[in-house]
Amino acid sequence: MEFKHKKLVNGLNVIGEVNKHALSAAIGFFVRTGSRDETDDISGVSHFLEHMLFKGTDNISAHEVNRIFDDLGAQYNAHTTEENTVYYAAVLPEQLQEVTKLWCQLMRPSLRDEDFDIEKNVILEEIAMYKDYPQFEVIEKCRNLHFGSHPCGRSVLGTVESITALTSGQMREYFESRYSPDNITAVIAGNFDFEKICQYIEAGCGNWQPKEAGRKIEYFAGTAKRNYERKHNLFCRHICLASPTVSYQDERSYVATLLAKIIGDSTDSRFFWQLVDTAIAETATMHCDAMDGVGAFFSYIRSSEENGPKVLQITEQIFESVRQEKISAQELQRAKNKVLSGMTIKNEIPMGRLIELGINWVYLNKYRPIEEEIQRIKDVTLDDLTALLADYPLVPFTEFSLGPEN
Amino acid sequence: MTEKIDTYKLSNGMTVLGIPMASVQSAAIGLLLPAGAATIPDGCCGAGTIIADWIFRGTKDKTNRELADALDGLGLLRNSNVESKHIALSAALDASNLLEAIELYAQMILNPALDSEQFEYSKQLALQGLLSLEDDPRHETMLLLKEHFYPDPLGRNTAGKKEDLQNLTAEKTKQIISENFDLSQTILAIAGKYDIQKLRPLTEKLFAGEKPKSKKEINTKEPLLDYHHHPHDGSQVHIGIMTQSATPQSGDYYNARVATAILSGGMSSRLFEEVREKRGLCYIVSAGYHCLKETAGIACYAGTTPDKAQETYDVIIKEFRRLAEDIDADELQRAKIGLKSGLVMQSESTMARAQAAATDHYILGKVRNLEEILQNIDKTSIKSIVDFLKNNPFENFCSVTTGPVKIKPV
């Protein structure tokens, strides 16, 4: 693997990791913007804008965009989170130049009113779809409750009201302020020639005007509030718990990742043995969401309504016990093995590597070879876990539950 | 790009496949055990789900916890899935631990503990899984669709039935395992980095001692392809539509695959363009090819709010019916490129390769290499696809909706 980096005059960073053995290549544009960068009156605009990027430019219609991607056999998509909007495509190596040229154009979209109006319906359908998906809904509501007035609690999709009221003018304004070259990183992974692809990016993006797109970073430990909402069409209890942890930039984020595995991996974890193996809950998982300057552990547990109180009681005991009774060396080793396997398998595919590379760059502004990431996981000790738990003790936590009426 | 695939049968008839992949450090295991939903006796619907959990709860010489520790000690990422004919077990891990992982899987299959107390936990989890399906209307719609589309019992609901699950006992389930875990009908596929000189004697040593069992016949009943509605007071109507297509054994298989890609391959394909891009009716609309050994279909899903449900359904049916019309050279080319590059990219994943090889071997009796598939896709033409669609018009549709309102089906 060979790492490459070039910063264009206007501030756009281009990074690449070349793997000559790969059968494909992947390119992505990582824009450092998401729902945390919005205000109430434009709630959901980052995600709506992500959809609108596929509607083309002054020279390419929406249908042509889809057609060109399909002509290239691209596997392409985009996603928006609280902090990032990521556009990507994986192609066979010989198509990378063309797909790169297309992305460079799409990153400066027309945002036509007629496309905006039709796509608004699609966004409203997406909001309706997630209302029928309680696992998503409970996590979003818990995040909102946990972060309170901190921007990381903002909904990515927005609401029916905010999307209905949003205008194309507001979207254009948001685009101008956030899609500045210094706020975007172009990332390439797999089998490709960096210099060649860089030339295309420079030709396509070199004339973008720089504009400082900042972000207010503030740490917040969470509200530790509790809420339970009943819905007439539900059959199970869906529980989401959140408590503070380190940010992505914190060196201890690897420790936090391993701690979440030890407690809440889907197999052979504390949640697994005490909740799932014993059939008290059907699913119980925990993950570390290390973000920009802030972080949270999220747990999602699904059980029968009847078992809900027992689930909460056991979960609290698990959170208490990891601090009081030490985590064993075997538990830590198992978690390391699982994380390392997942990392190896994901990174063998250019599309998987692309995301890892891009996110590392966006948050850390540096390249981390896979070997370094592996070493950082291997180096975590039991004392590191104890120290992390002393600073971030898992209790008290924020709880949001969704469950059936009676 | 021609690849060498290792294929051999053990002395008891079990099939072992090896797909070597250059430049990866991982290896994946794909195992098809002949204990899928359709092979389970009547009145035991859902036993496969219980079995897929129960066999992970210890072996004759390892407790539940010791087995889990051993698997996780190898850094093994694992999955299990109940299909129509098989329980599919899959795993991926660092290649240096592959042989130990195969030994553990052999113990789970040949010498599972099958402890009665553990059975109750597996059963409770299966019942909870069934309950949680009620909170996942999209998934439920597609399970119901396959149940109504495929000849019974081939499309049987893999999650099970509440009454059947409640009545199942450890003894009965043990009997099902004993009758169904027939190694002569089992396929083990390994993809990624492995040493055939070590793999072959190890699999022979571990599995060949188990004698073949008598093959089970499954009698099927042709379905009525009609409309079923499952009331659910949610935000959307979840629409599932399925219609007949060519099986992988058929000479028209590649015509069917390319035709499905024209209908719903990339975002420029007909369904996405007509339903989402032009009319904004849905966020998700897609159709995909789905097959069993005996029969195949195109399964379509769309989710939309109640006032748009009928229009969504009507537009989808119209697109199925006009699929043979106006296929142009560019459209065909896009469908082919999309299918081919998707297959090449999927082939970079060891887990996907192992699973695909095992399924191929079960359905076709051989593993198709990637080059052969790509060439066959290239051979399709507008004429071959239109001929196929005209000879096999989409006349009958099985439709399922889950949501607050019904639709008027065709």
Side-chain angles (χ1 to χ4, degrees):
Chain A
M1 305 276 190
E2 196 184 349
F3 177 70
K4 303 274 191 176
H5 172 222
K6 183 170 184 179
K7 189 171 185 173
L8 306 190
V9 179
N10 62 7
L12 180 85
N13 278 294
V14 186
I15 61 166
E17 189 182 69
V18 183
N19 173 8
K20 287 289 175 201
H21 297 289
L23 296 178
S24 65
I27 177 160
F29 280 87
F30 288 64
V31 190
R32 189 171 170 261
T33 201
S35 56
R36 73 175 287 175
D37 303 299
E38 300 170 355
T39 50
D40 281 345
D41 58 333
I42 54 165
S43 174
V45 69
S46 309
H47 168 253
F48 193 168
L49 177 57
E50 173 226 297
H51 279 232
M52 288 300 292
L53 259 277
F54 291 91
K55 298 294 172 192
T57 67
D58 293 346
N59 302 315
I60 315 172
S61 71
H63 180 62
E64 281 170 329
V65 172
N66 291 339
R67 219 181 51 207
I68 300 169
F69 273 125
D70 287 349
D71 277 341
L72 299 171
Q75 310 264 307
Y76 62 106
N77 213 332
H79 66 256
T80 307
T81 66
E82 290 77 12
E83 308 198 311
N84 297 296
T85 311
V86 182
Y87 302 87
Y88 52 88
V91 286
L92 300 185
E94 59 270 27
Q95 309 290 6
L96 185 67
Q97 292 177 18
E98 288 306 312
V99 92
T100 302
K101 280 196 223 167
L102 179 60
W103 272 128
C104 291
Q105 295 176 76
L106 296 183
M107 295 306 290
R108 286 294 175 266
S110 275
L111 307 178
R112 284 179 283 266
D113 282 353
E114 58 271 32
D115 292 331
F116 180 88
D117 294 339
I118 288 205
E119 201 59 21
K120 192 178 263 196
N121 292 324
V122 175
I123 303 287
L124 292 171
E125 285 298 334
E126 192 174 352
I127 292 173
M129 178 188 84
Y130 281 114
K131 283 209 174 106
D132 279 357
Y133 189 27
Q135 177 168 347
F136 174 89
E137 192 180 0
V138 77
I139 294 170
E140 192 185 52
K141 286 187 163 163
C142 182
R143 178 182 278 277
N144 181 267
L145 184 68
H146 178 73
F147 281 107
S149 58
H150 186 276
C152 279
R154 306 195 72 90
S155 162
V156 172
L157 291 173
T159 62
V160 171
E161 294 72 29
S162 71
I163 293 299
T164 306
L166 193 75
T167 66
S168 55
Q170 286 173 302
M171 182 179 280
R172 284 189 203 102
E173 207 175 299
Y174 179 81
F175 174 83
E176 287 301 326
S177 66
R178 303 299 305 170
Y179 279 56
S180 166
D182 56 311
N183 208 35
I184 300 178
T185 308
V187 186
I188 316 128
N191 191 351
F192 69 100
D193 177 337
F194 183 78
E195 276 68 33
K196 214 177 206 174
I197 294 301
C198 228
Q199 279 172 15
Y200 286 107
I201 295 175
E202 201 152 11
C205 315
N207 62 350
W208 298 352
Q209 292 306 307
K211 193 181 266 187
E212 294 238 333
R215 170 180 284 169
K216 198 176 159 201
I217 305 285
E218 211 174 348
Y219 185 77
F220 184 63
T223 60
K225 286 183 180 169
R226 291 188 169 209
N227 201 350
Y228 184 17
E229 185 182 321
R230 293 182 184 275
K231 289 182 77 175
H232 70 284
N233 62 357
L234 289 184
F235 287 79
C236 302
R237 171 90 71 110
H238 301 261
I239 301 167
C240 185
L241 310 174
S243 65
T245 187
V246 295
S247 70
Y248 200 98
Q249 290 87 354
D250 193 306
E251 290 290 320
R252 294 171 295 173
S253 64
Y254 293 90
V255 185
T257 299
L258 286 167
L259 180 64
K261 277 267 170 208
I262 290 165
I263 296 172
D265 190 40
S266 59
T267 59
D268 209 358
S269 64
R270 297 215 175 181
F271 274 2
F272 175 79
W273 290 114
Q274 294 185 50
L275 292 167
V276 181
D277 183 67
T278 49
I280 292 165
E282 185 213 352
T283 296
T285 58
M286 179 177 182
H287 78 275
C288 164
D289 194 357
M291 295 170 276
D292 207 356
V294 68
F297 285 118
F298 284 98
S299 302
Y300 169 72
I301 307 165
R302 184 171 63 235
S303 72
S304 63
E305 171 61 12
E306 189 189 347
N307 282 355
K310 200 169 172 185
V311 164
L312 281 168
Q313 187 197 349
I314 293 171
T315 308
E316 279 205 64
Q317 280 168 8
I318 292 171
F319 287 163
E320 293 288 351
S321 70
V322 279
R323 284 186 301 139
Q324 287 155 11
E325 305 150 28
K326 277 204 152 189
I327 291 164
S328 73
Q330 290 84 352
E331 273 181 300
L332 175 58
Q333 191 54 48
R334 279 200 301 273
K336 286 183 181 179
N337 292 343
K338 289 192 268 196
V339 170
L340 292 174
S341 278
M343 219 182 235
T344 306
I345 290 160
K346 182 180 162 200
N347 284 295
E348 280 176 354
I349 298 166
M351 194 59 243
R353 186 67 190 134
L354 177 91
I355 300 294
E356 192 95 3
L357 262 180
I359 291 293
N360 266 341
W361 188 272
V362 169
Y363 285 95
L364 307 172
N365 206 21
K366 67 177 174 189
Y367 169 63
R368 265 192 191 155
I370 186 79
E371 296 76 17
E372 187 187 325
E373 297 217 42
I374 288 172
Q375 199 53 50
R376 279 171 182 267
I377 294 286
K378 285 184 174 170
D379 288 346
V380 172
T381 65
L382 288 171
D383 288 343
D384 292 334
L385 290 167
T386 307
L388 185 81
L389 280 164
D391 289 345
Y392 302 98
L394 305 174
V395 277
F397 51 76
T398 306
E399 178 210 335
F400 200 101
S401 289
L402 279 176
E405 284 172 353
N406 303 316
Chain B
M1 203 197 278
T2 306
E3 53 194 356
K4 185 185 146 291
I5 295 168
D6 295 307
T7 306
Y8 59 94
K9 272 195 189 290
L10 304 183
S11 49
N12 60 0
M14 176 170 159
T15 304
V16 182
L17 310 167
I19 298 90
M21 291 165 66
S23 83
V24 296
Q25 295 306 312
S26 70
I29 300 170
L31 189 64
L32 291 181
L33 281 167
T39 69
I40 305 286
D42 290 344
C44 302
C45 189
T49 304
I50 294 181
I51 293 167
D53 184 75
W54 200 18
I55 58 172
F56 278 95
R57 291 176 177 264
T59 63
K60 293 272 157 63
D61 61 3
K62 280 191 173 58
T63 64
N64 186 12
R65 201 176 268 264
E66 284 166 352
L67 176 62
D69 286 351
L71 290 167
D72 286 339
L74 300 177
L76 183 138
L77 306 179
R78 60 186 188 265
N79 201 2
S80 58
N81 190 27
V82 183
E83 300 172 349
S84 173
K85 293 289 191 60
H86 300 100
I87 291 177
L89 303 179
S90 56
L93 75 169
D94 187 274
S96 60
N97 292 328
L98 174 67
L99 300 181
E100 282 175 76
I102 295 173
E103 291 198 39
L104 287 172
Y105 271 72
Q107 287 306 309
M108 280 159 40
I109 295 161
L110 300 171
N111 294 306
L114 304 184
D115 175 84
S116 310
E117 192 186 334
Q118 296 292 335
F119 172 82
E120 287 307 318
Y121 294 136
S122 296
K123 180 169 151 175
Q124 287 311 313
L125 284 176
L127 281 162
Q128 288 194 41
L130 205 56
L131 191 70
S132 73
L133 205 54
E134 296 280 354
D135 283 356
D136 189 353
R138 178 182 172 190
H139 187 191
E140 185 169 43
T141 300
M142 297 315 274
L143 277 178
L144 288 172
L145 182 64
K146 282 170 188 155
E147 188 172 351
H148 291 299
F149 174 77
Y150 285 122
D152 188 57
L154 300 180
R156 202 181 255 169
N157 191 328
T158 49
K161 285 187 181 146
K162 190 176 175 186
E163 201 184 354
D164 288 8
L165 285 170
Q166 280 169 336
N167 291 336
L168 265 173
T169 61
E171 284 313 307
K172 178 67 190 167
T173 310
K174 264 186 204 174
Q175 190 193 336
I176 295 171
I177 293 174
S178 150
E179 287 168 3
N180 281 268
F181 278 23
D182 178 359
L183 290 195
S184 70
Q185 303 297 315
T186 295
I187 300 169
L188 169 67
I190 307 296
K193 188 176 174 184
Y194 67 92
D195 179 352
I196 188 67
Q197 302 303 332
K198 288 183 179 157
L199 180 67
R200 193 163 180 158
L202 179 77
T203 49
E204 192 73 39
K205 185 184 101 186
L206 292 172
F207 297 103
E210 193 77 0
K211 298 273 180 294
K213 293 172 181 165
S214 57
K215 203 177 170 189
K216 293 173 95 182
E217 292 298 327
I218 296 172
N219 297 316
T220 59
K221 203 170 76 187
E222 280 308 309
L224 290 171
L225 297 184
D226 48 10
Y227 171 58
H228 305 266
H229 177 69
H230 182 71
H232 178 265
D233 195 10
S235 300
Q236 285 194 314
V237 180
H238 302 266
I239 304 169
I241 302 168
M242 207 160 173
T243 187
Q244 298 282 347
S245 192
T247 62
Q249 302 93 321
S250 151
D252 271 321
Y253 170 71
Y254 291 97
N255 287 322
R257 292 301 304 267
V258 178
T260 310
I262 291 171
L263 180 71
S264 183
M267 291 195 205
S268 68
S269 61
R270 294 185 178 189
L271 272 187
F272 198 81
E273 179 70 16
E274 294 299 323
V275 179
R276 177 166 150 171
E277 299 291 85
K278 283 191 186 163
R279 295 177 175 84
L281 292 171
C282 295
Y283 171 64
I284 295 181
V285 55
S286 71
Y289 176 83
H290 188 267
C291 71
L292 304 176
K293 191 171 186 173
E294 299 79 1
T295 179
I298 303 175
C300 174
Y301 169 82
T304 187
T305 38
D307 58 329
K308 297 176 186 163
Q310 188 64 48
E311 187 184 355
T312 301
Y313 178 82
D314 292 342
V315 174
I316 293 169
I317 296 291
K318 190 177 161 202
E319 288 309 311
F320 265 101
R321 290 200 160 144
R322 70 165 201 99
L323 188 54
E325 295 167 22
D326 308 325
I327 298 176
D328 67 39
D330 287 348
E331 191 178 26
L332 175 67
Q333 193 56 19
R334 275 195 297 279
K336 285 184 182 183
I337 290 173
L339 260 183
K340 287 193 296 181
S341 66
L343 284 164
V344 173
M345 282 185 244
Q346 199 182 13
S347 77
E348 293 183 294
S349 152
T350 53
M351 191 104 111
R353 282 311 283 287
Q355 288 168 336
T359 304
D360 249 19
H361 198 278
Y362 165 65
I363 293 180
L364 299 167
K366 63 164 194 165
V367 180
R368 293 168 299 177
N369 71 43
L370 196 55
E371 196 178 21
E372 173 193 346
I373 298 173
L374 300 181
Q375 281 172 0
N376 281 317
I377 290 171
D378 271 334
K379 279 184 200 161
T380 60
S381 64
I382 295 178
K383 185 177 179 323
S384 72
I385 292 166
V386 170
D387 285 351
F388 161 66
L389 290 170
K390 294 234 156 119
N391 292 330
N392 303 273
F394 298 122
E395 279 168 351
N396 298 313
F397 295 90
C398 178
S399 309
V400 171
T401 51
T402 304
V405 299
K406 287 184 178 180
I407 47 117
K408 286 194 199 88
V410 288

